[in-house]
Amino acid sequence: MTALKYAGMDDTDSEDELPPGWEERSTKDGWVYYANHEEMKTQWEHPKTGKKKRCAGALPYGWEQETDDKGQIFYSDHINKRTTYFDPRQAFTIEDMQVKPKRYDGNTTALEVLHDCDLSDKVVVITGANSGIGFETARSFALHGAHVILACRNQSRAMKAVSLITEEWRKARVEAMTLDLASLRSVREFAEIFKARKLPLHILVCNAAVCTQPWNLTEDGLETTFQICHLGHFYLVELLQDVLRHSAPARVVVVSSESHRFTDLVDSCGKVELKLLSPPQKEYWSMLAYNRAKLCNILFSNELHRRMSPHGVTCNALHPGNMMYTSIHRSWWLMTLLFTFARPFTKSMQQGAATTVYCAVAPELEGIGGMYFNNCFRCLPSPQAQDPTAAASLWELSERLIQERSTPTQVL
């Protein structure tokens, strides 16, 4: 009641008293959720009644919603010259009669997930978006009004992808920017240019990947698969963290793979070993390098969510689909031959993009992260992918690799 009194609304006849240790909060869009400070968890349902609620109507006259330096939302009463972190609309909440979330499966397409969605107020960045799943993800977002940025290494292919989307809908807001994840310098330049434009960032999709690559070192001295699939994305998020926080609620979506189950990364002490992630040529096997990179994706996603969720930024990882015919395997003729024969039984690119899009926009995932999805359903990754010690160890290793090869940046 103290917060209500401060907001000038202590005369409300609220019927739902919260148990000790619980706090009622609201999202930027007015949806009410509940925080349990003892168990350090949040949920949409009232802990006693099980009801979901949302704030009715707009803010009272004279009130304005703002964001502080830490990305936390607060409210200013310009008439009485005061501020509070309590949403004054919470004094007038109504029961949520929301329709149950739609059910999707492996045959669902990205456009079906986005049916009736208006994304005209969203800015989306997608890595590796000039072809395959990344392109269909970008196309689906753009056709629903989002401002989409294709972050790609090959600008000629990226511009062709932009043209294909704008030919389909001339009002689509889609553009290409140069980003080579095999170069930490390129990642840094991309982030600097993006931030200079003063755009928000509501959805960041870490989609780019390579598979079955011959052994090669990047200009930063690291194995190519590891840097493109993991470290480049890690650095990108690190550089854009402030933009994500100020754009909250924001989401990071990391495209992983079921192949993460067929490897491990840690030594007997539970620490992630660099020699496994960036091995010498004589110890390198391309498929194993890919599997390890995909395991990194899930560990990174979990740790990122743990660190960023208090600031309104959530993160989830996903598997796009089994036996999908993309260009990612183009470096290995045997894999290309296998996929050619299997193509009639594989997912389409639109179906492959569905889980990415679901993790990026599903209302039921607002404020929820640190999970792994397949066919738009939550599933459990491998035991090691769930290991918080391994996730923290990978994070520390990634930070060290970045610091050794680039100028200092703010640590997440």
Side-chain angles (χ1 to χ4, degrees):
M1 292 301 292
T2 302
L4 285 174
K5 184 175 182 180
Y6 185 77
M9 299 178 179
D10 51 321
D11 58 345
T12 179
D13 56 350
S14 176
E15 64 181 72
D16 301 323
E17 183 178 352
L18 290 171
W22 286 85
E23 179 188 355
E24 184 176 276
R25 298 177 179 175
S26 64
T27 66
K28 190 175 182 179
D29 297 327
W31 295 99
V32 175
Y33 66 100
Y34 302 89
N36 185 327
H37 295 294
E38 294 180 357
E39 299 182 15
M40 300 297 291
K41 69 176 185 179
T42 60
Q43 64 187 52
W44 294 111
E45 298 83 7
H46 189 284
K48 280 187 176 180
T49 67
K51 296 179 180 179
K52 294 182 180 180
K53 298 193 295 183
R54 60 183 174 85
C55 299
L59 288 168
Y61 178 76
W63 287 81
E64 183 180 4
Q65 187 181 81
E66 301 181 48
T67 305
D68 65 18
D69 294 336
K70 296 181 179 180
Q72 297 293 308
I73 297 171
F74 68 97
Y75 301 86
S76 296
D77 180 355
H78 295 295
I79 296 177
N80 297 303
K81 308 297 183 183
R82 56 186 176 176
T83 61
T84 176
Y85 284 88
F86 175 77
D87 185 344
R89 295 173 298 174
Q90 287 180 225
F92 306 105
T93 56
I94 60 175
E95 185 176 349
D96 177 28
M97 302 304 291
Q98 185 180 7
V99 178
K100 291 184 179 180
K102 296 179 181 177
R103 303 287 288 180
Y104 303 112
D105 56 31
N107 295 317
T108 303
T109 66
L111 290 173
E112 289 172 342
V113 173
L114 290 172
H115 181 65
D116 287 338
C117 284
D118 178 9
L119 303 178
S120 57
D121 62 341
K122 304 297 183 185
V123 176
V124 184
V125 170
I126 307 171
T127 65
N130 61 282
S131 64
I133 297 170
F135 172 76
E136 286 299 332
T137 303
R139 170 176 169 263
S140 300
F141 282 138
L143 294 180
H144 285 79
H147 178 181
V148 182
I149 297 173
L150 282 61
C152 306
R153 176 184 60 84
N154 189 316
Q155 276 301 286
S156 62
R157 292 180 180 176
M159 292 307 300
K160 183 178 179 181
V162 169
S163 297
L164 289 173
I165 295 172
T166 54
E167 286 172 8
E168 188 170 358
W169 187 37
R170 63 181 180 82
K171 292 185 178 181
R173 295 180 297 157
V174 58
E175 59 179 299
M177 289 178 61
T178 301
L179 173 64
D180 183 0
L181 293 166
S183 165
L184 298 181
R185 172 187 50 79
S186 175
V187 176
R188 188 161 56 249
E189 290 173 353
F190 173 90
E192 290 172 354
I193 294 172
F194 180 86
K195 289 192 286 189
R197 297 178 62 182
K198 306 297 182 183
L199 289 171
L201 179 55
H202 305 103
I203 300 170
L204 172 58
V205 180
C206 299
N207 167 81
V210 291
C211 181
T212 64
Q213 295 285 300
W215 184 87
N216 191 34
L217 295 180
T218 67
E219 65 181 50
D220 301 295
L222 296 167
E223 193 279 314
T224 302
T225 304
F226 165 65
Q227 181 162 334
I228 292 177
C229 292
H230 168 66
L231 194 65
H233 284 126
F234 177 91
Y235 192 32
L236 179 65
V237 174
E238 183 178 79
L239 293 171
L240 296 179
Q241 59 174 304
D242 290 338
V243 183
L244 288 164
R245 290 179 180 181
H246 290 131
S247 306
R251 302 189 192 188
V252 179
V253 179
V254 182
V255 180
S256 181
S257 169
E258 279 290 278
S259 66
H260 81 274
R261 300 184 186 277
F262 308 116
T263 188
D264 60 76
L265 294 177
V266 300
D267 58 20
S268 57
C269 299
K271 296 291 186 181
V272 174
E273 296 186 276
L274 177 60
K275 67 179 182 180
L276 295 179
L277 296 175
S278 184
Q281 186 172 6
K282 63 180 180 180
E283 299 177 13
Y284 177 78
W285 181 36
S286 60
M287 275 307 303
L288 186 57
Y290 178 76
N291 295 349
R292 287 169 174 165
K294 295 293 101 178
L295 176 55
C296 285
N297 288 157
I298 302 177
L299 292 171
F300 164 58
S301 174
N302 292 345
E303 183 67 8
L304 176 63
H305 178 74
R306 187 187 71 80
R307 292 168 179 256
M308 294 286 278
S309 57
H311 305 285
V313 182
T314 59
C315 186
N316 285 299
L318 66 100
H319 170 60
N322 296 324
M323 293 297 290
M324 198 168 304
Y325 191 89
T326 73
S327 60
I328 194 173
H329 51 76
R330 59 183 175 269
S331 299
W332 190 9
W333 68 269
L334 181 59
M335 189 69 73
T336 300
L337 181 63
L338 172 63
F339 273 79
T340 299
F341 284 117
R343 190 167 190 173
F345 310 101
T346 63
K347 278 188 175 185
S348 69
M349 292 301 101
Q350 255 294 307
Q351 292 170 329
T355 307
T356 301
V357 168
Y358 175 78
C359 289
V361 303
E364 58 267 29
L365 296 185
E366 184 67 41
I368 297 174
M371 297 189 293
Y372 177 68
F373 289 82
N374 186 1
N375 291 330
C376 301
F377 284 96
R378 181 189 179 186
C379 59
L380 290 178
S382 70
Q384 189 167 119
Q386 302 174 58
D387 183 0
T389 302
S393 176
L394 175 64
W395 192 280
E396 293 171 2
L397 173 63
S398 301
E399 281 186 336
R400 187 172 72 249
L401 293 174
I402 294 295
Q403 291 168 359
E404 293 171 351
R405 291 164 172 79
S406 62
T407 55
T409 59
Q410 181 181 355
V411 177
L412 287 173

PDB file of all heavy atoms in Angstrom, residues 52 98-104 358 362-365:
ATOM      1  N   LYS A  52      -4.389 -14.322 -14.216  1.00  0.00           N
ATOM      2  CA  LYS A  52      -3.496 -13.409 -14.917  1.00  0.00           C
ATOM      3  C   LYS A  52      -4.196 -12.063 -15.057  1.00  0.00           C
ATOM      4  O   LYS A  52      -5.401 -12.013 -15.280  1.00  0.00           O
ATOM      5  CB  LYS A  52      -3.129 -13.952 -16.304  1.00  0.00           C
ATOM      6  CG  LYS A  52      -2.301 -15.227 -16.272  1.00  0.00           C
ATOM      7  CD  LYS A  52      -1.944 -15.664 -17.677  1.00  0.00           C
ATOM      8  CE  LYS A  52      -1.117 -16.939 -17.680  1.00  0.00           C
ATOM      9  NZ  LYS A  52      -0.760 -17.374 -19.058  1.00  0.00           N
ATOM     10  N   GLN A  98      -7.187 -13.549 -21.958  1.00  0.00           N
ATOM     11  CA  GLN A  98      -6.427 -13.864 -23.151  1.00  0.00           C
ATOM     12  C   GLN A  98      -6.687 -15.300 -23.627  1.00  0.00           C
ATOM     13  O   GLN A  98      -6.767 -16.229 -22.835  1.00  0.00           O
ATOM     14  CB  GLN A  98      -4.937 -13.681 -22.861  1.00  0.00           C
ATOM     15  CG  GLN A  98      -4.038 -13.857 -24.058  1.00  0.00           C
ATOM     16  CD  GLN A  98      -2.580 -13.655 -23.666  1.00  0.00           C
ATOM     17  OE1 GLN A  98      -2.261 -13.512 -22.494  1.00  0.00           O
ATOM     18  NE2 GLN A  98      -1.706 -13.627 -24.634  1.00  0.00           N
ATOM     19  N   VAL A  99      -6.780 -15.462 -24.944  1.00  0.00           N
ATOM     20  CA  VAL A  99      -6.951 -16.784 -25.522  1.00  0.00           C
ATOM     21  C   VAL A  99      -5.671 -17.589 -25.301  1.00  0.00           C
ATOM     22  O   VAL A  99      -4.559 -17.047 -25.325  1.00  0.00           O
ATOM     23  CB  VAL A  99      -7.241 -16.660 -27.037  1.00  0.00           C
ATOM     24  CG1 VAL A  99      -7.380 -18.037 -27.668  1.00  0.00           C
ATOM     25  CG2 VAL A  99      -8.500 -15.833 -27.259  1.00  0.00           C
ATOM     26  N   LYS A 100      -5.799 -18.868 -25.055  1.00  0.00           N
ATOM     27  CA  LYS A 100      -4.638 -19.716 -24.819  1.00  0.00           C
ATOM     28  C   LYS A 100      -3.691 -19.672 -26.014  1.00  0.00           C
ATOM     29  O   LYS A 100      -4.124 -19.546 -27.157  1.00  0.00           O
ATOM     30  CB  LYS A 100      -5.088 -21.166 -24.566  1.00  0.00           C
ATOM     31  CG  LYS A 100      -5.809 -21.363 -23.248  1.00  0.00           C
ATOM     32  CD  LYS A 100      -6.129 -22.818 -23.030  1.00  0.00           C
ATOM     33  CE  LYS A 100      -6.826 -23.022 -21.685  1.00  0.00           C
ATOM     34  NZ  LYS A 100      -7.157 -24.441 -21.449  1.00  0.00           N
ATOM     35  N   PRO A 101      -2.386 -19.759 -25.749  1.00  0.00           N
ATOM     36  CA  PRO A 101      -1.415 -19.714 -26.844  1.00  0.00           C
ATOM     37  C   PRO A 101      -1.704 -20.779 -27.900  1.00  0.00           C
ATOM     38  O   PRO A 101      -2.152 -21.877 -27.596  1.00  0.00           O
ATOM     39  CB  PRO A 101      -0.081 -19.994 -26.143  1.00  0.00           C
ATOM     40  CG  PRO A 101      -0.310 -19.610 -24.718  1.00  0.00           C
ATOM     41  CD  PRO A 101      -1.750 -19.921 -24.442  1.00  0.00           C
ATOM     42  N   LYS A 102      -1.427 -20.430 -29.151  1.00  0.00           N
ATOM     43  CA  LYS A 102      -1.639 -21.369 -30.240  1.00  0.00           C
ATOM     44  C   LYS A 102      -0.635 -22.506 -30.137  1.00  0.00           C
ATOM     45  O   LYS A 102       0.451 -22.366 -29.597  1.00  0.00           O
ATOM     46  CB  LYS A 102      -1.473 -20.649 -31.579  1.00  0.00           C
ATOM     47  CG  LYS A 102      -2.500 -19.559 -31.827  1.00  0.00           C
ATOM     48  CD  LYS A 102      -2.242 -18.881 -33.156  1.00  0.00           C
ATOM     49  CE  LYS A 102      -3.241 -17.775 -33.406  1.00  0.00           C
ATOM     50  NZ  LYS A 102      -2.967 -17.056 -34.675  1.00  0.00           N
ATOM     51  N   ARG A 103      -1.021 -23.649 -30.684  1.00  0.00           N
ATOM     52  CA  ARG A 103      -0.149 -24.813 -30.666  1.00  0.00           C
ATOM     53  C   ARG A 103       0.509 -24.950 -32.034  1.00  0.00           C
ATOM     54  O   ARG A 103      -0.143 -24.885 -33.074  1.00  0.00           O
ATOM     55  CB  ARG A 103      -0.946 -26.074 -30.348  1.00  0.00           C
ATOM     56  CG  ARG A 103      -1.702 -26.015 -29.041  1.00  0.00           C
ATOM     57  CD  ARG A 103      -0.793 -26.117 -27.842  1.00  0.00           C
ATOM     58  NE  ARG A 103      -0.268 -27.466 -27.676  1.00  0.00           N
ATOM     59  CZ  ARG A 103       0.557 -27.816 -26.693  1.00  0.00           C
ATOM     60  NH1 ARG A 103       0.941 -26.918 -25.805  1.00  0.00           N
ATOM     61  NH2 ARG A 103       0.994 -29.047 -26.585  1.00  0.00           N
ATOM     62  N   TYR A 104       1.813 -25.120 -32.026  1.00  0.00           N
ATOM     63  CA  TYR A 104       2.556 -25.271 -33.269  1.00  0.00           C
ATOM     64  C   TYR A 104       3.283 -26.605 -33.261  1.00  0.00           C
ATOM     65  O   TYR A 104       3.455 -27.244 -32.228  1.00  0.00           O
ATOM     66  CB  TYR A 104       3.563 -24.131 -33.425  1.00  0.00           C
ATOM     67  CG  TYR A 104       2.941 -22.748 -33.382  1.00  0.00           C
ATOM     68  CD1 TYR A 104       3.185 -21.893 -32.317  1.00  0.00           C
ATOM     69  CD2 TYR A 104       2.107 -22.312 -34.401  1.00  0.00           C
ATOM     70  CE1 TYR A 104       2.623 -20.622 -32.271  1.00  0.00           C
ATOM     71  CE2 TYR A 104       1.539 -21.048 -34.365  1.00  0.00           C
ATOM     72  CZ  TYR A 104       1.795 -20.210 -33.302  1.00  0.00           C
ATOM     73  OH  TYR A 104       1.229 -18.961 -33.257  1.00  0.00           O
ATOM     74  N   TYR A 358       9.140 -17.878 -33.335  1.00  0.00           N
ATOM     75  CA  TYR A 358       8.365 -18.127 -32.123  1.00  0.00           C
ATOM     76  C   TYR A 358       9.099 -17.611 -30.888  1.00  0.00           C
ATOM     77  O   TYR A 358       8.520 -16.929 -30.040  1.00  0.00           O
ATOM     78  CB  TYR A 358       8.085 -19.624 -31.991  1.00  0.00           C
ATOM     79  CG  TYR A 358       7.394 -20.008 -30.700  1.00  0.00           C
ATOM     80  CD1 TYR A 358       6.020 -19.803 -30.535  1.00  0.00           C
ATOM     81  CD2 TYR A 358       8.120 -20.561 -29.647  1.00  0.00           C
ATOM     82  CE1 TYR A 358       5.391 -20.144 -29.345  1.00  0.00           C
ATOM     83  CE2 TYR A 358       7.496 -20.909 -28.458  1.00  0.00           C
ATOM     84  CZ  TYR A 358       6.136 -20.694 -28.307  1.00  0.00           C
ATOM     85  OH  TYR A 358       5.518 -21.022 -27.123  1.00  0.00           O
ATOM     86  N   ALA A 362       6.680 -14.741 -29.418  1.00  0.00           N
ATOM     87  CA  ALA A 362       5.561 -15.389 -28.712  1.00  0.00           C
ATOM     88  C   ALA A 362       5.223 -14.645 -27.431  1.00  0.00           C
ATOM     89  O   ALA A 362       6.088 -14.445 -26.572  1.00  0.00           O
ATOM     90  CB  ALA A 362       5.901 -16.841 -28.395  1.00  0.00           C
ATOM     91  N   PRO A 363       3.970 -14.178 -27.258  1.00  0.00           N
ATOM     92  CA  PRO A 363       3.606 -13.441 -26.049  1.00  0.00           C
ATOM     93  C   PRO A 363       3.799 -14.251 -24.777  1.00  0.00           C
ATOM     94  O   PRO A 363       4.131 -13.690 -23.717  1.00  0.00           O
ATOM     95  CB  PRO A 363       2.125 -13.103 -26.262  1.00  0.00           C
ATOM     96  CG  PRO A 363       1.718 -13.610 -27.576  1.00  0.00           C
ATOM     97  CD  PRO A 363       2.871 -14.328 -28.198  1.00  0.00           C
ATOM     98  N   GLU A 364       3.620 -15.574 -24.863  1.00  0.00           N
ATOM     99  CA  GLU A 364       3.754 -16.398 -23.660  1.00  0.00           C
ATOM    100  C   GLU A 364       5.204 -16.509 -23.188  1.00  0.00           C
ATOM    101  O   GLU A 364       5.463 -17.000 -22.086  1.00  0.00           O
ATOM    102  CB  GLU A 364       3.172 -17.797 -23.884  1.00  0.00           C
ATOM    103  CG  GLU A 364       3.787 -18.567 -25.030  1.00  0.00           C
ATOM    104  CD  GLU A 364       3.026 -18.384 -26.340  1.00  0.00           C
ATOM    105  OE1 GLU A 364       2.406 -17.320 -26.524  1.00  0.00           O
ATOM    106  OE2 GLU A 364       3.065 -19.315 -27.174  1.00  0.00           O
ATOM    107  N   LEU A 365       6.169 -16.044 -24.024  1.00  0.00           N
ATOM    108  CA  LEU A 365       7.569 -16.072 -23.628  1.00  0.00           C
ATOM    109  C   LEU A 365       8.063 -14.715 -23.149  1.00  0.00           C
ATOM    110  O   LEU A 365       9.258 -14.555 -22.887  1.00  0.00           O
ATOM    111  CB  LEU A 365       8.444 -16.551 -24.800  1.00  0.00           C
ATOM    112  CG  LEU A 365       8.210 -17.991 -25.283  1.00  0.00           C
ATOM    113  CD1 LEU A 365       9.221 -18.352 -26.364  1.00  0.00           C
ATOM    114  CD2 LEU A 365       8.294 -18.974 -24.129  1.00  0.00           C
TER     115      LEU A 365
END
